[in-house]
Amino acid sequence: MAEATPKKPPDWKHITEPIHDAESLKQESINANHDHLITEIETSDGPLGTTLRAVYEGKELSKFRIRLDDKIRNHDREIERMCNFHYQGFIDSIRELLTVRQDAAKLKDEVQQVDQHLQESCVPLMTKGEELVKCRRIQGNIATAVESLNLCLPVLEMYRKLQEQMTSRRFYPALKTLEQLEHTYLPRVNSHWFAQTMADDIPKQRESIKEASMSDLKDFLENIRKHSGKIGEVAMLHAAEQNNMDPAIVKATRKKVKKRRAPPPPNPFTGEVDAPPPPVIQDEEDEIEDSAELSAQDLIDFSPVYRCLHIYSVLGDRERFETYYRKQRWKQARLSLQPPSNMVMSIKIDTSDQQQTEHESLDSFKRYFHDIVGFFVVEDHILNTTQGLVNRAYIDELWEMAVSKLAASLRTNTVQCKDTSMLLDVKNLIILFCHTLRGYGFSVGHVLELLLEMRDQYNDVLTRQWVDIFNEIFSEDNYTPIYVESIEEYTAIVTQFPIQDENLERESFPKRFPFSQFVPDVYNQVKAYINACLKYSADLHLSHTEIDDMIRKSTNLLLTRTLGSCLSSLIKKPSLTLLQLIQISINMNYLEKSCLYLEEYISSITGAQNDSVHMARLHGTTMFKDAKSDAEEHIYKQLNLKIDEFLDLASYDWLLPEAKGHACGYVIDLVAFLQSTFMSFTNLPDIYLHLLEKVAKTACMSACKHIANSLKEFLLDNETRQLTMGSLQQFNLDLIQCEHFAASEPIPGANDGNLLLAFAGIRQLLDLFLNWDWSLYLADYGQTNSKYVRVQPQVALSLLEKLHNADKKKNTIFGSLNKKERDKKKLLDTVLKQLRGLVNGSTQQIQG
């Protein structure tokens, strides 16, 4: 290994030189920085915070202080050098200043001497000047006083004028004077104390004017409330003249009264009260006639309304006035629409007190309408003569409320009315009411609809009145044909009731009409009802078709409900005899035919006879047919009741050993009664025969069936436990008597055997027992051609058991039986057994 070569030691001199250069550069930099900071401190006029912060944040603070001390010492040396240079000049200046001070003291003494001399010489002049200033001030005050008086005098004059106007209640000029005083005169003297007093009094004056005008308005409202009836009456009188209606509809009964006028109110500004006027005695009706030539608006002074409206408008309080006026008038409208207590209608009674009450009720209706018309006439005038005090929307709302309340009041106060004449008067009042207010632009359609509602009530009242009329006609009728002995009497009947019968016309006097007096009476009363319905349609402005339809509907109600109900009650009266019921049935035929003439009469009075498309038919034809059927039914019932009276006399001995050989007395009397009764049918004139033929046949058949059923009930009476063949033979004699009557043709044309068929059932039953033909009955049972087809097993069994019971009682009494009786008993037991089998078989078949 080679030997290491030793390193050469470094040259330290060359290394230390750059280090000394760096330190010198750093020191120079620090010094330069310190010089810069010191320069900023010397030259800066603002805050030194930034510079001082830079000093203290640096790391060479001690060096900066040394540097700063060096700088301060340099400046001290410069100051000392400068002071040494200027010291001599400063000494010279002090010496010159001491010299000037002596001269200034001398000049001051001289100025004080001159001032004192001047003041002593000006004393007289100042005295004269003060006197002159004082005189000038007095002169100016005098001029100012004169000028102020010239300004104040017009103000005071205007205020005096205002007081006079307020005293005389001249509110228009007073308001104008207040405006001039406030805006023209008072600003000129607002520096005076009384100007402020007057200014403070002006609002009070305005309020006084408002209160005074409002007081006049309240008097006007009270006055218009009292005179609305008169205004409305005059307006309705004018409307009646224009529509060619009777003015008497409007006028209410009045009496002479002594009017005492209320004393005038005191002046609100002076408190003075005028002397009250003397009382006046005047007839109100004469007053109405005197004012009839005037219009409704001419009867009242509306100036308080206009004046109050203008005052409130000028004072900027128009809205308040409008609200108050409308509110008060709304209240008055409610008062006017409230019906008086004596306007309620009551049932009509034919007494003087009741008639007086109804007259007062009608007058109350008139006054009620007068008040309403007067109210709206006034409102219409206010609407047309003022700008916005009331508007059309307010009037329409008020009218709608009035119509609703009016309709409710009329419904309430007319619902109990039983007088058609009063309803007609109220209807005419309503029509005239509508004509009047329609002339002032009000819609009256809903009020006219109320008339249609009242029409139904009017028809109901008429209908109730005609119930009494019809009942009175029925109670006074004698239910016998009308006899006439002269042409005058005949003409009077055919004039009242349309009848066309050539046979009757050809007959000689005396003649007999087929109907009784109630037929023409009912016909004429129906026509009277039609005329009464037509009265209500007058002035309703309905077409002929509408009137015709209305009358036909009302007439249909009269015929179907009223007259139909009265006829039904009449027919059901138990006091009517058969002949009276027969006469009623005949009357129904002619009243049924009269419906065509009633239709023609309605068409002729309504003028709608050519408009047959919309023409409704009367339902009276059907009603009279039903009444006729009802009368016929009661004929049959009445006849059966009479038959029952005879049958109640029957007293059978069901244990009779053998027949008496003749019919019972009650049957003979019954047959005699029936013969005489149906003889009365056949003895009627020929004019009746075609009317009563069907009725007579039906009545005869009904009587025969009723007798047959009653006889059968005798046999099957549950209380009859036993009967003998002798009693059946006696019963057979009674049945033969009845069959003889049925075969004797009690009614002409009734010989077809139908009457005998009514007794066929009981005849077969008796023949079965009397002939003891059980073998044939049992053999042919169930066949349509059986001889005893009408005999039911139950009926035969019941009757046979009663015979069997009688035989058992007989055998118990008489002991043993002979061979013939034993065979009969055996046969009877066999028949009973077979009948029971038939009955049980029929029952099981029915149940199955």
Side-chain angles (χ1 to χ4, degrees):
M1 179 169 148
E3 186 177 355
T5 302
K7 292 183 181 182
K8 186 177 181 179
D11 189 1
W12 293 105
K13 182 178 178 182
H14 295 287
I15 295 173
T16 57
E17 288 180 358
I19 293 174
H20 289 296
D21 292 338
E23 290 179 355
S24 62
L25 289 174
K26 182 179 179 181
Q27 187 65 39
E28 290 178 359
S29 176
I30 291 172
N31 293 336
N33 185 28
H34 289 168
D35 292 339
H36 176 70
L37 293 174
I38 292 171
T39 303
E40 285 186 359
I41 292 172
E42 291 177 346
T43 60
S44 177
D45 294 333
L48 300 175
T50 304
T51 305
L52 294 176
R53 186 183 300 111
V55 172
Y56 283 97
E57 289 178 355
K59 298 180 180 180
E60 303 293 338
L61 181 60
S62 60
K63 293 181 179 182
F64 176 77
R65 290 176 178 174
I66 296 172
R67 190 76 175 171
L68 183 60
D69 290 340
D70 293 342
K71 191 72 172 177
I72 291 173
R73 284 192 294 273
N74 289 334
H75 282 299
D76 288 341
R77 286 194 293 271
E78 288 180 2
I79 291 172
E80 185 178 357
R81 188 174 57 252
M82 186 176 293
C83 288
N84 290 333
F85 179 77
H86 291 290
Y87 178 75
Q88 187 62 40
F90 175 73
I91 296 298
D92 293 340
S93 297
I94 292 298
R95 290 175 180 169
E96 288 179 0
L97 184 60
L98 291 173
T99 304
V100 172
R101 185 178 65 179
Q102 294 176 357
D103 293 339
K106 184 179 178 180
L107 179 60
K108 180 180 178 182
D109 293 338
E110 291 178 356
V111 170
Q112 287 178 350
Q113 292 177 0
V114 172
D115 180 62
Q116 183 177 3
H117 179 72
L118 181 61
Q119 286 182 359
E120 291 175 356
S121 61
C122 288
V123 169
L125 180 61
M126 292 297 293
T127 303
K128 294 296 184 182
E130 289 177 359
E131 292 177 357
L132 180 59
V133 169
K134 186 176 181 180
C135 291
R136 292 289 186 182
R137 187 179 296 113
I138 293 172
Q139 186 178 4
N141 290 338
I142 293 173
T144 302
V146 172
E147 183 180 357
S148 297
L149 287 174
N150 289 332
L151 290 175
C152 292
L153 283 176
V155 175
L156 297 174
E157 181 65 25
M158 290 297 290
Y159 192 78
R160 182 191 62 80
K161 181 179 179 183
L162 173 64
Q163 294 299 320
E164 291 179 354
Q165 291 170 346
M166 298 290 277
T167 303
S168 60
R169 303 177 69 85
R170 298 166 56 203
F171 300 131
Y172 284 158
L175 275 180
K176 186 175 182 181
T177 303
L178 273 177
E179 292 293 326
Q180 293 178 350
L181 189 63
E182 182 178 17
H183 297 97
T184 304
Y185 290 95
L186 282 182
R188 300 175 185 174
V189 294
N190 54 7
S191 59
H192 299 281
W193 64 269
F194 68 86
Q196 186 61 38
T197 303
M198 289 184 179
D200 294 340
D201 189 56
I202 286 176
K204 297 179 182 179
Q205 296 289 351
R206 287 199 176 100
E207 288 299 324
S208 298
I209 292 175
K210 289 172 65 174
E211 291 176 1
S213 61
M214 182 58 70
S215 177
D216 290 347
L217 177 67
K218 291 178 179 178
D219 293 340
F220 166 80
L221 291 175
E222 182 179 358
N223 189 39
I224 201 67
R225 178 74 182 94
K226 294 178 180 178
H227 291 83
S228 290
K230 184 189 299 183
I231 296 172
E233 184 171 0
V234 172
M236 293 181 74
L237 284 172
H238 291 167
E241 294 176 359
Q242 295 172 1
N243 292 275
N244 297 323
M245 297 181 69
D246 186 7
I249 300 173
V250 184
K251 296 180 180 179
T253 304
R254 290 180 172 82
K255 299 179 180 180
K256 292 184 178 181
V257 294
K258 185 175 183 180
K259 296 183 178 180
R260 292 187 177 274
R261 299 179 181 176
N267 191 300
F269 310 105
T270 62
E272 298 178 356
V273 181
D274 296 335
V280 178
I281 299 177
Q282 186 175 4
D283 191 344
E284 293 185 9
E285 189 169 354
D286 296 338
E287 184 179 353
I288 292 293
E289 293 178 356
D290 294 339
S291 59
E293 297 180 358
L294 301 175
S295 65
Q297 295 85 352
D298 295 334
L299 298 176
I300 198 71
D301 181 17
F302 290 90
S303 60
V305 181
Y306 305 145
R307 181 165 57 247
C308 196
L309 175 62
H310 176 74
I311 290 171
Y312 273 76
S313 299
V314 170
L315 297 179
D317 206 4
R318 178 188 177 102
E319 184 177 356
R320 177 187 171 192
F321 171 74
E322 291 178 358
T323 303
Y324 175 82
Y325 176 82
R326 293 183 183 185
K327 183 178 179 181
Q328 294 301 315
R329 288 297 284 167
W330 196 278
K331 290 181 180 178
Q332 290 188 350
R334 292 184 180 276
L335 291 176
S336 297
L337 291 167
Q338 184 176 357
S341 58
N342 60 345
M343 198 175 78
V344 180
M345 296 183 177
S346 59
I347 300 176
K348 182 177 179 182
I349 302 174
D350 192 13
T351 62
S352 59
D353 293 339
Q354 184 64 29
Q355 292 176 355
Q356 180 68 23
T357 302
E358 291 175 355
H359 187 70
E360 292 176 357
S361 298
L362 183 59
D363 286 342
S364 297
F365 268 96
K366 292 180 180 180
R367 295 188 181 95
Y368 180 60
F369 283 111
H370 294 166
D371 286 342
I372 298 175
V373 171
F375 177 87
F376 283 100
V377 168
V378 170
E379 288 305 292
D380 180 75
H381 183 73
I382 293 294
L383 174 67
N384 295 324
T385 55
T386 59
Q387 297 295 329
L389 178 56
V390 294
N391 52 32
R392 177 52 63 182
Y394 163 79
I395 294 293
D396 291 342
E397 182 182 2
L398 195 61
W399 174 244
E400 290 178 2
M401 182 272 292
V403 169
S404 63
K405 288 189 173 293
L406 174 65
S409 298
L410 290 178
R411 289 190 185 101
T412 302
N413 290 285
T414 59
V415 69
Q416 297 179 355
C417 179
K418 307 302 178 185
D419 185 8
T420 54
S421 62
M422 180 172 287
L423 282 175
L424 287 175
D425 292 336
V426 173
K427 185 261 307 186
N428 293 329
L429 269 176
I430 295 175
I431 290 175
L432 186 54
F433 172 83
C434 294
H435 286 325
T436 304
L437 290 181
R438 185 190 289 119
Y440 287 94
F442 293 96
S443 175
V444 295
H446 294 295
V447 184
L448 292 175
E449 291 176 0
L450 180 63
L451 289 175
L452 300 180
E453 295 181 17
M454 288 181 58
R455 178 190 64 188
D456 297 335
Q457 181 187 352
Y458 175 80
N459 292 336
D460 291 341
V461 174
L462 278 180
T463 302
R464 286 192 291 269
Q465 291 181 358
W466 257 252
V467 170
D468 298 334
I469 293 175
F470 288 142
N471 288 332
E472 183 178 359
I473 291 174
F474 297 153
S475 63
E476 294 178 355
D477 192 42
N478 56 10
Y479 299 98
T480 58
I482 300 175
Y483 284 87
V484 292
E485 297 180 353
S486 63
I487 187 63
E488 290 79 9
E489 295 178 354
Y490 178 82
T491 304
I493 298 298
V494 297
T495 303
Q496 294 179 15
F497 183 79
I499 180 174
Q500 297 178 357
D501 192 329
E502 296 179 357
N503 295 329
L504 183 62
E505 292 178 358
R506 287 195 296 268
E507 289 182 7
S508 59
F509 289 100
K511 297 181 179 182
R512 182 171 64 174
F513 287 91
F515 47 79
S516 65
Q517 182 61 42
F518 93 58
V519 171
D521 290 344
V522 168
Y523 179 80
N524 289 324
Q525 287 302 324
V526 173
K527 290 175 64 177
Y529 177 86
I530 294 172
N531 293 329
C533 291
L534 184 64
K535 286 183 180 179
Y536 192 88
S537 303
D539 299 323
L540 288 183
H541 302 290
L542 300 175
S543 65
H544 296 302
T545 303
E546 291 174 332
I547 296 175
D548 184 85
D549 184 64
M550 179 194 74
I551 293 179
R552 287 177 183 271
K553 288 181 179 179
S554 301
T555 307
N556 276 330
L557 290 177
L558 177 74
L559 294 176
T560 56
R561 293 184 183 180
T562 307
L563 183 55
S565 176
C566 292
L567 286 173
S568 178
S569 300
L570 171 66
I571 293 170
K572 292 178 181 178
K573 284 185 177 181
S575 60
L576 291 178
T577 62
L578 281 174
L579 292 178
Q580 289 175 331
L581 286 171
I582 292 170
Q583 185 63 58
I584 292 174
S585 178
I586 295 172
N587 290 346
M588 293 303 102
N589 284 308
Y590 287 93
L591 287 176
E592 177 184 347
K593 296 176 182 179
S594 68
C595 290
L596 294 175
Y597 299 102
L598 289 175
E599 288 184 358
E600 294 177 358
Y601 179 74
I602 293 173
S603 299
S604 64
I605 63 175
T606 59
Q609 63 269 25
N610 295 326
D611 191 11
S612 59
V613 177
H614 303 284
M615 185 181 298
R617 297 299 176 185
L618 294 182
H619 301 160
T621 302
T622 304
M623 188 276 297
F624 288 125
K625 286 181 179 179
D626 294 339
K628 178 184 176 183
S629 299
D630 194 12
E632 292 174 357
E633 288 295 329
H634 277 76
I635 291 174
Y636 309 148
K637 291 180 182 179
Q638 189 75 17
L639 183 59
N640 291 339
L641 290 175
K642 194 67 177 177
I643 292 173
D644 288 338
E645 293 180 4
F646 288 97
L647 294 175
D648 290 341
L649 301 176
S651 178
Y652 283 100
D653 182 7
W654 297 110
L655 298 178
L656 191 68
E658 61 181 9
K660 298 177 182 179
H662 57 81
C664 296
Y666 84 92
V667 174
I668 297 174
D669 294 339
L670 174 60
V671 170
F673 164 75
L674 291 176
Q675 288 175 344
S676 63
T677 299
F678 290 108
M679 187 66 68
S680 63
F681 280 90
T682 59
N683 291 334
L684 290 174
D686 295 338
I687 194 172
Y688 291 94
L689 293 180
H690 69 284
L691 298 175
L692 297 177
E693 181 179 358
K694 180 181 177 182
V695 177
K697 289 181 179 181
T698 306
C700 190
M701 177 58 72
S702 173
C704 291
K705 288 182 178 180
H706 185 69
I707 294 171
N709 292 332
S710 298
L711 292 176
K712 188 175 181 180
E713 290 176 358
F714 287 158
L715 288 175
L716 301 178
D717 188 4
N718 292 330
E719 295 181 357
T720 303
R721 302 290 182 178
Q722 305 170 10
L723 56 81
T724 62
M725 291 300 294
S727 62
L728 288 180
Q729 293 171 356
Q730 179 62 44
F731 195 82
N732 184 50
L733 294 176
D734 295 341
L735 180 60
I736 291 173
Q737 190 72 22
C738 295
E739 289 174 334
H740 177 71
F741 165 76
S744 65
E745 194 178 355
I747 299 297
N751 57 354
D752 51 0
N754 289 332
L755 295 179
L756 285 173
L757 289 177
F759 299 97
I762 193 170
R763 167 50 59 198
Q764 292 181 11
L765 179 62
L766 287 177
D767 287 347
L768 176 62
F769 278 85
L770 295 176
N771 298 330
W772 207 252
D773 201 1
W774 294 106
S775 58
L776 180 61
Y777 174 76
L778 295 173
D780 294 343
Y781 177 75
Q783 298 181 9
T784 57
N785 57 352
S786 174
K787 180 180 179 181
Y788 304 103
V789 69
R790 297 177 182 271
V791 179
Q792 298 295 326
Q794 297 92 335
V795 175
L797 177 61
S798 175
L799 199 59
L800 191 59
E801 287 178 344
K802 294 179 180 181
L803 282 173
H804 182 57
N805 293 335
D807 289 343
K808 286 195 300 182
K809 183 178 180 182
K810 178 180 178 182
N811 294 335
T812 303
I813 296 173
F814 293 101
S816 60
L817 301 175
N818 55 30
K819 183 177 182 300
K820 182 178 180 182
E821 291 176 345
R822 286 197 301 270
D823 293 340
K824 182 179 179 181
K825 180 178 181 301
K826 185 177 180 181
L827 177 61
L828 181 60
D829 293 337
T830 304
V831 173
L832 283 172
K833 183 177 181 181
Q834 292 180 353
L835 286 176
R836 290 190 182 100
L838 291 176
V839 172
N840 294 332
S842 300
T843 304
Q844 292 176 0
Q845 184 178 4
I846 292 173
Q847 291 177 353

